[in-house]
Amino acid sequence: MEKAERKEEGWEPKVVAFVCSWCSSLGADQAGAEEGGHPAGVRLVRVPCAGRINPMYVVKALQNGADGVLVFGCHPGDCHYRSGNLTARRRLSLLKSFLEHLGVESERVQVCWISGAEGARFTAMANKVVEDTRRLGPAKKLVKAKK
Amino acid sequence: MIQEKDVERDVLVIGGGIAGMQTALVLAEKDHHVYVVDSAPAVGGFFPLLDRQFPTNSCGVCFMSPKPRAVCPTYESDFHRDIELLTNSQIKTVEGQAGNFTVTVGHKPTRVHAGRCTLCGKCEEVCPVEVPRELGAGVEKRKAIYMPFPRAVPQSFVIDEQACTRCGECAKVCPVDAVDLDEAGSEKALKVGAIVLAFGFEPFEAQRKGEFGLGRYQNVLSGIQYERMLSYGSPSEGVPQRPSDGKRPKKVAFIQCVGSRDLTCEAGYCSSVCCMYATKQAIVSNDRVKGLDAAVFYMDMRAVGKNYEHYYQAAKTDYGVRYLRSSISTLRELKRSGNLLIEYGTDDGQRKSEEFDMVVLSVGFSAPRAVKELAGRMGVDLNEFGFCATSEFKPTETSVPGVFVAGAFRGPRDIPESVVEGCSAAADVSSLLDDFEGRTPKAGRRAASEELDSDFVPRIGVFLCELKGKLGESLDLGALAELFGKERGVACVETVDVGEAWQALETIDARARELKLNRVVLAGYRALELTKAARTEEAVGPYVGVFEPVNIGTQCAEAHRGEPAVANSKAADMVRAGVRKAFLATPRKFVERNISTRTLILGGGLSGLAASLALAEQNMAVTLAEKSGKLGGNARFSHYTAHGEDIQALVAEKVAAVEANSRIEVLKNTELVKLEGSWGSYRATLKTEGQEKEVEHGAIIIATGAQQATTGQYMSVKDPRIVAQRTLEGMLASDDEKAVKARKVVMINCAGSRESGRPWCSRVCCVHSVKNALVLKEKNPDMQVYVLYRDMRTYGFYEKTYQQAREKGVVFVRYSVDDKPQVGLRDGALGVSFVDELVGERIELDADLVVLSTGIDPQDNRELADVAALKLTPDGFFAEANPKAAPLDAADRGKFIVGLCNAPMHIEEALCQAKAAAARASALLWSGTEYRPEARSRVNAVICAGCGNCVAVCPYDAIALDAERKHAVIDEVRCQGCGICAATCRSSAIDLDGFSNEQVLSVLSAL
């Protein structure tokens, strides 16, 4: 990334990525098999299905100091639980507009569908969110008072 | 069935593609030890090539397993303790007979020790030899030492013997000494009771059709190559690219029937799937490159599968795919641009030409040549095209008793048919080898769940899952162990090698017993897969109430190979989070319940009869309920098949066998009026002539059939000389003079089908028209027989019947749906007038008989759908859970839909489905018990406001509102633990074990 864009020296964005236990976990594993497949600041949180993600989790992640949140789910039609990904989609798009209303930039919370074979897509998306948040700088809007 | 004591129960499946894996998975559920032999270095067949599938454009393979468990059939096969994969192996000798075969299997050396290879890829970098990669038919290159595809099972590099120059560079750089260039082959003798042949197919070598320029023109690709290009896993990440310059194509042509329906290359059959795969590729291309113009050059569009016609129509209307009915005269490359110029003749005789950026040849299926010799030695008959010869009424049996067949080795076919046949072959094996009466499951660890601590004070065992030394290579395991040892509740931190999954689980089991562990954190390689295996196979004792997988293998050790600091700190974070999550877990006990081994079958047509018999042959109890007073269904009105088999004899034989079988309770004049419960313990209320009775059963097979469609079209004149195809068949069977003595017979196909009102294709009518036309010609060679059609859909080997009909002088004339044939009376004579599209002329005929192919209508299934909680397709047939991977499964477990109520199909296909459903039902029920973890979602009734939001989002209908107490209640058997309800609940009254709010939040704060 261009240095000029950096908001704070030596700061590395922290991104919480939710992965489902089916396609996205596999995709994440596949991405990991390549060196550099996971950006350093990305931490995975496994859930059974993207549909399990309570919007509160995303908010909590931001409150706990994450600079970005990435949600991985299965492609439409591929959900192991039939329709959990679609439920997640509805829920998270609502959350995103709410967060924007609070002043959290929309690039900080992103949703992406991947299959178990799409390691490269995982990497690309994870890098994208890291770079997007890097450009935006640390997320401070929801962070509770310094620990 | 042979007496069990006299037979081997182990089974050999040859071919690890879709069909073979399906057979293996079903048989393994029935406690058979299954060997899967594959000549390729990894199992999966053509499966790894496909990432989008028609008609849904999705993948969905994780639905495929008999139990909802693993993520994909290849992985599941790998982790199933009763499935033994023997890859890179060939069958040497086969001796013995049904029940007792001795087979020797030769293992070709891969020259890489799979147990050691860490997939680091250093060998690949230094290997100087480059050859085309098999996956995708050479569209990419690979080295002589290579990984067959990213998720290959077994997970190891292999050396291609032919390509390897033995330079030894790979051996020099291999850090774990896994390369052994002098590895010798080995042999293994197997004793098995039955053999299933699932050899699959070979794609047609399109180079043989030199005129299309494959291999000469850079921008001409085969369908297999293009499929690879469209896969997200390809180097272009799913975006089509012109091989000549890497540019995205704007115009792509698909040429159909390359190596199919072509006598010049011994392919006098239709490959059945190319029309649809080209359509899919056109749609996906359009998705990947916006504005891409796709044109399909075809002869007949054969969209015969369930919902395929809709997909084909959507390709035209929603994606703008152009379908050009044409014959191609030349295809040549334009030197400067690398574009391709196609000259073709159109339907109406015009000559046209068009330039494309890229051309894809939709290559057909050829018989697998490599197995011809083996089949000969085994005595398995092949047909004239080299595929396995089978009869229509015993579709998955070969000419050798005890040897069965499934999938594309029977002939070109699509995934759903292969999946069905995989199950059907498993049913054949079961009929031969299984007697489930009195058999107890061999899994020995089903101990009582009381062993779980009642207070559940956390005693956490952290197991660092090492694979081939890769974990320790990047991570400081000692430091990590010390770190985790300090976490609250941790009783031990140990390293376990997970190279052999079952051994690893046994080690963990032993340690857990010794240290009284009640929670286990699996940190490292294969953590998730091991967790799933441990949970479903009862491999680790029930005193462990919680498993928490954390993949610090690929996600830390490998992803950050070069940055140990990052790898270690990330691993520390992840495992710490896992330990804290495990600490907060509530225990999940295993519960055991008795399940009914009886299967209820609705519908006494051929499908219902065949399913009943298949189950009874395995000594499983059946209740067969038929709505009418007679067994036999629609088959009672059919007489012969396209290949001349006697349907009436088949019906009589099946009915007699069913009525004589003491395991089958037959209830005629009976309807289902109520269905309650879930799989294993359904309660059906059946009504027989006003009397109601309850039946307890574990599974239900819906085989309620369909009906001959009627149409108002062409019937404006009431005339006894206008008959339906089925009526004609009856007339022919009884040598009715009106048919046999007729001078001119005109058949009109798609009468009322494939247009608004009945938009689906009924799959069978084209074949029936050809079949009946042939019989007419045979009975009266001087008769003039005309078949008016829109697309001739004689898929697979039916193409040969079509060919024969043309040879015998049956005249086939295409008509357009916009200009349909007219039938009218002229001076008492029946006149048919139609436009021959080829010559563009109107033709008037006097017909003695007009025969309408009216298609197949679903029954009015709405009431049954309501009673049995089934979903319907927009066309009114019963909907399946997944069109590819689970074509027979209804949305709920233990409900199967087979035969005509599922979709229009031939008898052969219905018999396969019936047997397949029987195999699936018995795999589910035979043990009489289910042993599973408790339901995962819990409702706190005190907080629950009874709003019903959870009821609305549950994909499994597992939640209901208790009307009296006004709170949600979860059905333990139906709940699959997705947690959608928990995330939906506004008052957090629902929580999910294993992923409770408290746990997820603890993870979030630990990271």
Side-chain angles (χ1 to χ4, degrees):
Chain A
M1 232 23 244
E2 314 89 88
K3 281 183 188 123
E5 293 285 327
R6 286 208 185 163
K7 297 274 159 62
E8 283 178 22
E9 212 51 54
W11 165 77
E12 185 62 34
K14 197 171 140 190
V15 171
V16 167
F18 289 96
V19 292
C20 78
S21 297
W22 305 94
C23 295
S24 356
S25 279
L26 271 187
D29 280 359
Q30 181 157 0
E34 294 289 321
E35 197 171 338
H38 285 224
V42 170
R43 293 289 183 276
L44 298 191
V45 178
R46 191 175 59 89
V47 285
C49 174
R52 168 66 185 110
I53 299 165
N54 190 318
M56 167 181 74
Y57 298 169
V58 177
V59 175
K60 279 281 183 205
L62 293 167
Q63 285 182 334
N64 282 342
D67 301 302
V69 175
L70 179 50
V71 175
F72 286 105
C74 307
H75 284 282
D78 285 0
C79 177
H80 186 82
Y81 301 106
R82 294 182 192 156
S83 55
N85 50 357
L86 304 178
T87 312
R89 182 176 159 271
R90 286 198 292 275
R91 200 175 275 151
L92 294 169
S93 57
L94 211 63
L95 175 72
K96 274 183 75 164
S97 52
F98 176 66
L99 286 174
E100 243 177 292
H101 186 72
L102 292 182
V104 178
E105 301 87 339
S106 69
E107 292 100 318
R108 290 198 192 274
V109 179
Q110 300 195 24
V111 184
C112 171
W113 307 139
I114 61 167
S115 80
E118 291 166 15
R121 193 171 155 98
F122 176 95
T123 306
M125 195 62 196
N127 279 326
K128 177 176 180 296
V129 174
V130 168
E131 292 316 322
D132 283 351
T133 46
R134 196 193 300 284
R135 205 175 310 117
L136 294 167
K140 292 178 178 158
K141 203 78 200 174
L142 298 181
V143 179
K144 289 183 178 166
K146 273 264 183 246
K147 286 163 234 169
Chain B
M1 186 174 39
I2 316 174
Q3 283 297 304
E4 260 205 51
K5 58 182 184 334
D6 304 327
V7 299
E8 297 290 340
R9 273 185 58 79
D10 292 2
V11 179
L12 168 66
V13 175
I14 313 177
I18 297 154
M21 283 191 296
Q22 189 66 25
T23 308
L25 287 169
V26 172
L27 287 172
E29 289 303 320
K30 300 186 187 190
D31 272 5
H32 288 277
H33 187 81
V34 188
Y35 301 97
V36 179
V37 172
D38 202 305
S39 57
V43 292
F46 278 87
F47 223 29
L49 183 67
L50 313 167
D51 88 0
R52 302 287 95 183
Q53 298 173 350
F54 55 86
T56 50
N57 295 335
S58 64
C59 156
V61 289
C62 65
F63 291 100
M64 188 165 157
S65 54
K67 281 185 179 179
R69 175 176 27 192
V71 281
C72 87
T74 15
Y75 259 41
E76 186 166 348
S77 300
D78 192 27
F79 272 83
H80 206 297
R81 71 165 121 192
D82 279 321
I83 297 178
E84 200 172 323
L85 302 176
L86 305 170
T87 48
N88 224 33
S89 299
Q90 229 110 39
I91 305 295
K92 298 262 181 197
T93 60
V94 179
E95 275 157 27
Q97 65 285 318
N100 291 287
F101 289 104
T102 308
V103 182
T104 43
V105 180
H107 174 71
K108 279 189 296 179
T110 60
R111 298 192 172 146
V112 179
H113 195 289
R116 284 192 216 139
C117 171
T118 63
L119 311 183
C120 71
K122 292 197 174 81
C123 52
E124 195 176 27
E125 281 166 29
V126 298
C127 178
V129 187
E130 238 184 25
V131 289
R133 186 183 281 282
E134 288 82 356
L135 182 80
V139 72
E140 301 152 43
K141 293 267 189 283
R142 64 161 172 85
K143 296 293 186 65
I145 186 164
Y146 70 110
M147 192 67 184
F149 41 88
R151 293 206 161 273
V153 170
Q155 284 261 299
S156 171
F157 275 77
V158 293
I159 289 180
D160 174 349
E161 254 186 318
Q162 259 97 49
C164 177
T165 57
R166 299 182 62 85
C167 69
E169 288 301 315
C170 51
K172 275 185 228 158
V173 296
C174 180
V176 291
D177 226 1
V179 179
D180 175 6
L181 289 174
D182 299 313
E183 191 200 346
S186 59
E187 270 191 13
K188 190 168 181 167
L190 312 176
K191 286 194 151 307
V192 294
I195 300 173
V196 177
L197 308 180
F199 296 131
F201 67 96
E202 283 172 18
F204 174 73
E205 283 179 349
Q207 283 89 344
R208 286 175 62 193
K209 301 291 286 176
E211 64 269 35
F212 293 132
L214 184 72
R216 284 189 295 134
Y217 304 150
Q218 274 190 296
N219 294 328
V220 175
L221 293 180
S222 78
I224 302 283
Q225 294 173 321
Y226 194 65
E227 184 74 39
R228 175 62 187 157
M229 220 176 229
L230 291 181
S231 161
Y232 275 124
S234 74
S236 67
E237 289 174 27
V239 180
Q241 280 180 350
R242 276 157 51 99
S244 66
D245 51 16
K247 283 189 187 151
R248 292 180 178 196
K250 292 197 181 65
K251 278 186 80 177
V252 179
F254 293 85
I255 298 179
Q256 298 308 106
C257 297
V258 179
S260 305
R261 304 182 66 187
D262 185 347
L263 296 176
T264 65
C265 47
E266 304 89 46
Y269 54 86
C270 158
S271 292
S272 305
V273 299
C274 330
C275 282
M276 295 312 291
Y277 85 59
T279 298
K280 174 195 75 180
Q281 290 178 348
I283 289 176
V284 174
S285 308
N286 199 285
D287 255 354
R288 304 277 159 83
V289 180
K290 290 290 162 227
L292 182 138
D293 173 17
V296 181
F297 293 84
Y298 75 106
M299 293 199 264
D300 291 289
M301 198 30 74
R302 295 187 165 170
V304 290
K306 189 176 188 177
N307 293 330
Y308 289 2
E309 178 73 17
H310 304 275
Y311 189 66
Y312 161 47
Q313 297 303 336
K316 290 196 270 191
T317 53
D318 301 356
Y319 296 88
V321 178
R322 291 185 290 138
Y323 286 87
L324 305 166
R325 199 192 290 268
S326 54
S327 52
I328 293 190
S329 40
T330 60
L331 186 158
R332 61 193 171 86
E333 188 182 45
L334 301 177
K335 281 282 164 282
R336 199 165 298 159
S337 59
N339 286 356
L340 299 143
L341 187 74
I342 296 180
E343 285 181 26
Y344 62 98
T346 64
D347 243 10
D348 44 12
Q350 294 179 51
R351 295 185 61 80
K352 284 190 175 169
S353 66
E354 193 172 339
E355 200 176 317
F356 290 90
D357 298 338
M358 227 168 144
V359 167
V360 180
L361 307 179
S362 295
V363 290
F365 284 25
S366 300
R369 280 168 299 178
V371 300
K372 202 168 174 181
E373 189 248 349
L374 172 66
R377 271 189 288 139
M378 290 175 71
V380 170
D381 291 344
L382 303 181
N383 70 12
E384 63 193 285
F385 305 116
F387 291 96
C388 189
T390 53
S391 83
E392 285 172 293
F393 293 164
K394 291 180 174 169
T396 41
E397 295 179 25
T398 68
S399 53
V400 180
V403 178
F404 306 99
V405 57
F409 182 45
R410 283 191 61 216
R413 64 202 55 232
D414 191 2
I415 295 173
E417 282 94 36
S418 295
V419 168
V420 165
E421 285 171 17
C423 297
S424 172
D428 285 333
V429 171
S430 259
S431 294
L432 181 71
L433 303 178
D434 282 336
D435 176 357
F436 285 127
E437 200 172 53
R439 168 166 281 278
T440 46
K442 74 177 168 193
R445 293 186 188 280
R446 303 187 172 190
S449 34
E450 286 84 76
E451 284 186 50
L452 204 60
D453 296 350
S454 51
D455 52 355
F456 207 59
V457 176
R459 294 187 56 81
I460 305 172
V462 180
F463 291 90
L464 298 167
C465 302
E466 178 62 283
L467 184 66
K468 303 166 182 176
K470 287 194 282 182
L471 207 59
E473 200 182 310
S474 309
L475 300 176
D476 184 347
L477 297 183
L480 288 175
E482 202 178 316
L483 199 65
F484 306 141
K486 291 182 197 143
E487 284 288 319
R488 209 149 60 110
V490 172
C492 73
V493 186
E494 292 179 12
T495 306
V496 60
D497 192 287
V498 297
E500 294 289 336
W502 292 106
Q503 268 171 25
L505 288 174
E506 271 165 25
T507 309
I508 294 168
D509 182 59
R511 291 300 283 158
R513 283 171 195 271
E514 218 169 291
L515 299 169
K516 299 203 179 317
L517 303 176
N518 50 20
R519 297 140 210 252
V520 163
V521 175
L522 295 167
Y525 286 97
R526 306 179 123 186
L528 187 58
E529 291 90 336
L530 286 170
T531 299
K532 284 174 186 165
R535 289 282 75 174
T536 48
E537 287 294 313
E538 303 93 42
V540 174
Y543 36 83
V544 178
V546 169
F547 283 87
E548 187 55 43
V550 186
N551 193 342
I552 55 170
T554 50
Q555 293 170 16
C556 299
E558 278 180 53
H560 303 291
R561 221 175 283 151
E563 335 160 82
V566 177
N568 278 299
S569 86
K570 199 168 183 177
D573 277 1
M574 284 169 67
V575 181
R576 192 187 310 117
V579 170
R580 290 186 185 169
K581 189 176 162 206
F583 188 91
L584 292 171
T586 37
R588 288 182 67 208
K589 288 185 186 177
F590 274 95
V591 288
E592 194 172 346
R593 70 172 173 132
N594 288 329
I595 56 178
S596 165
T597 55
R598 177 173 293 273
T599 301
L600 171 65
I601 298 178
L602 287 188
L606 263 186
S607 303
L609 293 169
S612 305
L613 286 170
L615 281 162
E617 278 169 10
Q618 303 163 37
N619 271 340
M620 302 281 290
V622 175
T623 297
L624 174 64
E626 162 60 37
K627 196 174 182 176
S628 76
K630 266 197 159 162
L631 298 177
N634 277 305
R636 286 184 295 137
F637 308 106
S638 296
H639 298 272
Y640 43 85
T641 66
H643 300 140
E645 303 260 15
D646 183 348
I647 297 171
Q648 290 303 309
L650 176 76
V651 174
E653 177 205 315
K654 297 270 182 212
V655 170
V658 162
E659 287 185 332
N661 198 310
S662 61
R663 299 213 161 256
I664 306 171
E665 178 193 23
V666 181
L667 303 170
K668 291 176 191 167
N669 301 309
T670 300
E671 276 182 278
L672 178 76
V673 289
K674 200 160 130 196
L675 184 70
E676 290 174 317
S678 22
W679 82 272
S681 55
Y682 283 119
R683 280 179 316 283
T685 309
L686 299 173
K687 193 170 174 183
T688 311
E689 290 165 352
Q691 293 278 14
E692 288 195 358
K693 93 167 197 174
E694 264 204 10
V695 177
E696 287 250 345
H697 57 104
I700 180 166
I701 296 176
I702 318 278
T704 48
Q707 56 198 354
Q708 177 178 251
T710 51
T711 178
Q713 294 181 29
Y714 313 107
M715 294 283 202
S716 52
V717 280
K718 277 260 181 285
D719 195 297
R721 290 168 295 180
I722 305 178
V723 297
Q725 202 65 254
R726 187 156 89 175
T727 316
L728 171 68
E729 193 173 316
M731 291 162 81
L732 289 173
S734 61
D735 275 323
D736 189 322
E737 290 205 343
K738 287 199 279 301
V740 201
K741 292 274 163 70
R743 287 170 301 111
K744 269 185 203 159
V745 175
V746 180
M747 298 185 184
I748 304 176
N749 286 0
C750 293
S753 282
R754 295 179 60 203
E755 54 182 293
S756 62
R758 192 176 295 121
W760 61 92
C761 161
S762 292
R763 190 176 176 106
V764 300
C765 331
C766 284
V767 177
H768 287 320
S769 66
V770 170
K771 168 187 90 174
N772 288 337
L774 267 172
V775 176
L776 283 170
K777 279 299 236 185
E778 189 190 314
K779 295 204 186 261
N780 181 355
D782 297 330
M783 187 188 297
Q784 291 180 33
V785 184
Y786 296 84
V787 178
L788 311 185
Y789 71 97
R790 283 172 57 195
D791 284 286
M792 210 56 209
R793 294 186 166 179
T794 43
Y795 61 96
F797 298 132
Y798 293 123
E799 179 69 14
K800 214 183 96 189
T801 319
Y802 176 35
Q803 178 71 29
Q804 279 165 1
R806 281 182 306 185
E807 281 164 11
K808 296 269 186 227
V810 177
V811 181
F812 289 87
V813 184
R814 193 170 51 241
Y815 73 88
S816 148
V817 68
D818 306 318
D819 193 359
K820 287 188 210 158
Q822 309 287 325
V823 180
L825 277 178
R826 248 192 328 257
D827 310 327
L830 208 50
V832 184
S833 146
F834 55 90
V835 175
D836 181 347
E837 275 199 341
L838 265 178
V839 290
E841 262 177 44
R842 180 161 289 279
I843 294 174
E844 313 265 347
L845 285 177
D846 284 342
D848 300 319
L849 204 58
V850 171
V851 187
L852 303 179
S853 302
T854 51
I856 295 175
D857 265 354
Q859 314 263 21
D860 185 354
N861 288 322
R862 285 172 296 186
E863 200 183 324
L864 181 56
D866 207 33
V867 170
L870 298 167
K871 291 200 170 67
L872 295 176
T873 67
D875 298 336
F877 295 94
F878 289 113
E880 69 289 322
N882 181 284
K884 286 287 194 244
L888 303 182
D889 300 55
D892 294 329
R893 260 178 103 185
K895 285 182 192 166
F896 304 98
I897 38 172
V898 303
L900 291 181
C901 69
N902 185 322
M905 67 185 71
H906 288 283
I907 285 179
E908 181 177 359
E909 294 155 343
L911 290 175
C912 268
Q913 288 206 344
K915 280 210 251 179
R920 296 283 312 285
S922 67
L924 202 59
L925 306 176
W926 68 272
S927 67
T929 51
E930 189 209 10
Y931 192 67
R932 62 174 169 81
E934 287 175 311
R936 302 179 51 173
S937 278
R938 294 170 195 246
V939 179
N940 183 336
V942 179
I943 307 178
C944 176
C947 70
N949 280 351
C950 51
V951 179
V953 295
C954 178
Y956 301 95
D957 294 331
I959 314 181
L961 283 186
D962 184 314
E964 242 170 71
R965 287 170 294 167
K966 303 236 179 333
H967 65 76
V969 182
I970 290 169
D971 181 329
E972 296 217 350
V973 181
R974 284 171 175 259
C975 174
Q976 300 289 316
C978 61
I980 300 172
C981 53
T984 302
C985 184
R986 319 185 233 210
S987 42
S988 296
I990 305 188
D991 217 342
L992 181 71
D993 283 350
F995 296 93
S996 69
N997 287 333
E998 196 188 10
Q999 285 179 293
V1000 178
L1001 296 182
S1002 78
V1003 169
L1004 286 171
S1005 60
L1007 289 176

